Every structure is written in structure tokens, then in C-alpha cells.
């Protein structure tokens, strides 16, 4: 037996669908609180020293956290080439805005405290707010458009073509998802600041973080009602071939109301995902009000896991449906790399992902503890 045949093709496709979810959730759980601190900073940190404390709460870890986004993008490129081609080309302007905003973060973190002038620092504070708000909003809008369907198709030569515009992505439901994403990172950033800071910053973070947790519950419920009652989902009507070639045009797909709820009727255990989204947000709200720290952060992570997982299990096996040509929709069964490629990548992941997790855990353990004004004054040369 050839080595890569130890795991059959359909199973490898499922594994890589799950791994992409793990990487995206890992990014949201880690870099999510970095983005949230950027959004919260103008509201919870009102003096220059308070802003420096907030930045130093994420300063040692944000670069490592951002690696999860790079891993996710690389995994999509290698495991799901048609998905990469359609999303990174069709959503080019949106991706450019995300990258431009993310570039502001390292520049702002490094340059903000290089000069003492208030105007100089205020401009960089505004840049750091943009660096947190814009990517969060656009990532949420992207998820909303995945549920609605993106306007793309394939030519007879299997070249993807995008038939929409950037403004076309900003529909009511995608914007609702964008606001939900911003609320999630604000909740997560508030939970992180309550863990890493004391005094007025922590108190304000609890207040804004608890408000964001309530917003997450309300917006998540509203989004679920829209998906259930108003939004057309997608359903494969032709026989499903799980081990066939990666050609999205070899199937038939229809749009119909409520189709995104089918998996929950077929597999009731999938309701764990939305339940985790609500339970985590409610727990984070209660934790902030009870002045819990570690528990609040963990419950905030649970909410993020639940919300993102809900999208994945609702759409399965779809990765990115096409509103322009439903038959061209990308699914787990017809958009992956080859059997051998997926297997080699899985072996590499099994080796390197535990190393990344172990190193990340070690970093957080070493940097455990609260950021204080005294510490920043003591380490003026290295503090942000």
C-alpha cells in the first residue's frame, strides 16, 4: 500500500476542513484580543500612561498571535486552491484594506512612544484603533458574504471570475456579521485587559467588555433568525461524490430558504456550536460583572469558538457558495488539493503544530502577570 493511502481521500478532506477551522478560530482567540484592545484603547485608556499600559498588555504577544492568520492563509492556499483563488482575487480590495490596517499596528506600536508630543501620540493612537477596527469588521463582513454567497463563476478553462464589486459586499446581512465580529473582539479585548491590568483601565474594560458581550448575544441571535427565516442557503441536488476529482462544475446546486439549517436537523449534535456561542458570551458577561479574570477570558474564547464553528457546521460541505452560478460553488468534496498533497501537509502539520502550541503556551506562561505603571517606568527603553 502507498503510504498516503493509509488515510482515504474523503477523510483527508474532512480533516483539512476541520484544520482550517482550527487555524481561523486560533487566530480569533489569540489575535482577537489584540484587535479588541486596539478598538477599546481610546475608551478605556484616557491618559498617556494608561494607553501605554494597554499597549504593553498586548505588546509581547501580538506578533506571535498574528502568525495564526498567516498559517490560515497558507493552509487555504495549499489545501483549497480554488477557494484561495476566488477569495483572494475576488475580495482583493477587502484583503488590501485588511493588510493595510494590520500594517498600521506594528508601525504604531513601534513609533508611538518615540516622541513625547501629544499630537504625535494621538495620531498613532488613532492608527492603532483603525488597525483593530477595520480588520475585525471586514473579517465579519467576509463571513457574512460566505453565507450569502459570493458572485463568482468559472470559465470553461476553470479560470475563476468575480462578477461583483467591493461595495456589493456591504449588504445588510454581511454588515450585521461585521458588527458581530467587532463586538466579539471588543468582548475579548475587554476580558484580556481585565486580566492584564488593574485600576481604572480594568474597571472601564469590564464595563465596555460586558456591553460587548451583551451585543454578541443579541447580534448572534439576530443573525441566526435571519439565516433561518430570511436568507437563502445552498443545497447540492446531484449525487455527492466524496472522493471525486476537484472540479466544482461536476455537481448541481440550488438556493432555497432555510437550507443552512439542514445540518442541524440531520445532525442535532451540531447545535453544540451555537450553544457554545451563547453560553460563552453569557458567561463572559457574568464573569466581568463578578470581576472574574481567567474564567472570563476562557468563556470569551468559548463564545468565539461557538460563533465561528456555527458558520462552519451550518455551511458544510460548502466552503464558498456562488450566488452568480450556484453550480460553481466550492465544497469540501470538489475544491481540495490532491490526495497526496493533503497527506504530506497533514504529516507536516502533525509535526509542527504541537511545537507551535507548546512554544505559544510557554510564552504566555513566562509573560503571565499584570502590567503596571511601575513596571513600565522601570523598563522605559523596552516598553511601548
Amino acid at each position: 500500500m502507498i503510504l498516503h493511502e493509509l488515510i482515504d481521500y474523503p477523510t483527508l478532506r474532512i480533516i483539512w476542513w476541520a484544520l482550517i477551522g482550527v487555524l481561523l478560530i486560533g487566530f480569533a482567540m489569540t489575535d482577537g484580543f489584540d484587535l479588541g484592545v486596539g478598538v477599546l484603547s481610546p475608551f478605556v485608556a484616557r491618559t498617556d500612561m494608561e494607553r501605554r499600559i494597554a499597549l504593553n498588555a498586548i505588546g509581547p504577544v501580538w506578533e506571535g498571535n498574528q502568525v495564526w492568520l498567516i498559517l490560515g492563509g497558507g493552509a487555504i492556499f495549499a489545501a483549497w486552491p480554488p477557494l484561495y483563488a476566488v477569495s483572494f482575487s475576488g475580495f482583493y480590495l477587502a484583503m488590501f484594506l485588511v493588510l493595510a490596517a494590520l500594517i498600521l499596528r506594528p508601525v504604531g506600536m513601534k513609533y508611538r512612544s518615540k516622541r513625547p508630543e501629544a499630537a504625535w501620540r494621538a495620531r498613532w493612537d488613532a492608527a492603532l484603533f483603525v488597525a483593530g477596527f477595520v480588520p475585525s469588521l471586514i473579517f465579519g463582513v467576509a463571513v457574512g458574504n460566505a453565507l450569502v454567497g459570493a458572485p463568482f463563476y468559472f470559465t470553461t478553462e476553470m479560470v475563476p471570475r468575480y462578477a461583483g464589486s467591493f461595495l456589493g459586499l456591504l449588504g445588510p446581512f454581511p454588515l450585521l456579521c461585521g458588527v458581530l465580529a467587532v463586538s466579539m473582539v471588543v468582548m475579548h479585548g475587554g476580558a484580556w485587559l481585565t486580566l492584564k491590568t488593574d485600576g481604572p483601565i480594568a474597571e472601564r474594560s469590564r464595563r465596555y467588555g460586558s456591553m460587548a458581550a451583551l451585543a454578541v448575544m443579541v447580534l448572534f441571535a439576530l443573525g441566526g433568525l435571519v439565516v433561518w427565516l430570511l436568507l437563502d442557503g445552498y443545497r447540492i441536488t446531484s449525487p455527492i461524490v466524496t472522493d471525486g476529482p476537484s472540479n466544482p462544475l461536476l455537481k448541481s446546486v440550488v438556493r432555497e430558504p432555510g437550507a443552512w439549517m439542514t445540518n442541524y436537523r440531520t445532525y442535532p449534535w451540531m447545535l453544540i456550536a451555537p450553544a457554545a456561542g451563547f453560553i460563552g458570551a453569557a458567561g463572559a458577561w457574568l464573569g466581568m460583572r463578578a470581576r472574574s479574570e481567567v474564567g472570563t477570558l476562557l468563556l470569551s474564547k468559548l463564545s468565539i469558538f461557538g460563533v465561528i464553528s456555527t458558520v462552519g457546521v451550518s455551511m458544510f460541505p460548502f466552503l464558498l457558495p456562488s450566488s452568480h452560478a450556484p453550480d460553481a460553488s466550492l465544497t469540501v468534496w470538489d475544491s481540495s488539493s490532491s490526495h497526496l498533497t493533503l497527506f504530506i501537509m497533514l504529516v507536516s502539520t502533525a509535526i509542527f503544530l504541537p511545537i507551535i502550541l507548546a512554544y505559544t503556551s510557554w510564552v504566555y506562561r513566562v509573560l503571565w502577570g499584570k502590567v503596571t505603571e511601575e513596571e513600565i517606568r522601570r523598563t522605559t527603553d523596552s516598553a511601548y
Side-chain angles (χ1 to χ4, degrees), residues 14-36:
I14 291 289
I15 290 172
W16 272 102
W17 170 79
L19 281 174
I20 291 298
V22 167
L23 294 174
L24 296 179
I25 291 170
F27 169 70
M29 284 184 174
T30 54
D31 205 42
F33 62 71
D34 299 327
L35 299 173

Side-chain angles (χ1 to χ4, degrees), residues 41-293:
S41 183
F43 306 99
V44 302
R46 298 177 181 175
T47 67
D48 181 68
M49 179 53 69
E50 287 181 349
R51 292 193 178 95
R52 293 187 68 190
I53 291 172
L55 292 180
N56 277 273
I58 62 172
V61 297
W62 70 266
E63 290 175 293
N65 293 340
Q66 196 166 270
V67 169
W68 289 95
L69 178 62
I70 299 170
L71 290 174
I76 291 173
F77 170 78
W80 310 100
L83 176 62
Y84 180 89
V86 171
S87 58
F88 281 69
S89 58
F91 302 156
Y92 182 82
L93 182 55
M95 294 290 182
F96 176 82
L97 289 175
V98 168
L99 292 176
L102 289 176
I103 288 171
L104 285 176
R105 181 165 60 182
V107 178
M109 295 283 285
K110 299 297 183 183
Y111 280 91
R112 182 194 180 277
S113 296
K114 295 299 183 183
R115 293 172 58 179
E117 292 88 349
W120 168 270
R121 295 188 174 188
R123 285 193 290 270
W124 286 117
D125 289 337
L128 289 168
F129 171 82
V130 171
F133 179 83
V134 170
S136 306
L137 180 69
I138 292 180
F139 285 141
V141 168
V143 171
N145 277 284
L147 286 163
V148 171
F152 69 91
Y153 63 96
F154 288 93
T155 67
T156 54
E157 293 81 18
M158 290 303 298
V159 178
R161 292 284 185 263
Y162 187 72
S165 64
F166 174 73
L167 293 179
L169 300 175
L170 304 178
F173 181 74
L175 284 175
L176 171 65
C177 295
V179 176
L180 172 59
V182 173
S183 300
M184 282 199 305
V185 301
V186 170
M187 172 185 69
H188 207 36
W192 180 254
L193 286 175
T194 61
L195 175 68
K196 295 293 290 182
T197 65
D198 280 320
I201 300 177
E203 289 301 317
R204 296 180 196 124
S205 298
R206 288 188 183 96
R207 183 166 67 251
Y208 285 105
S210 61
M211 293 167 57
L214 288 175
V216 169
M217 287 186 281
V218 172
L219 293 171
F220 190 36
L222 180 58
L225 288 174
V226 172
V227 170
W228 182 20
L229 301 175
L230 301 176
L231 193 68
D232 285 349
Y234 294 76
R235 182 171 62 86
I236 300 174
T237 57
S238 57
I240 297 176
V241 181
T242 60
D243 59 352
S246 288
N247 185 342
L249 301 181
L250 298 180
K251 65 180 181 306
S252 298
V253 175
V254 297
R255 297 177 61 177
E256 59 184 24
W260 290 144
M261 309 304 293
T262 301
N263 283 344
Y264 297 109
R265 292 189 291 269
T266 307
Y267 309 104
W269 62 266
M270 288 185 174
L271 290 169
I272 293 172
F278 285 113
I279 292 171
W285 177 76
L286 291 171
M288 289 181 193
R289 292 180 64 85
R291 286 177 165 72
S292 173
E293 295 179 353

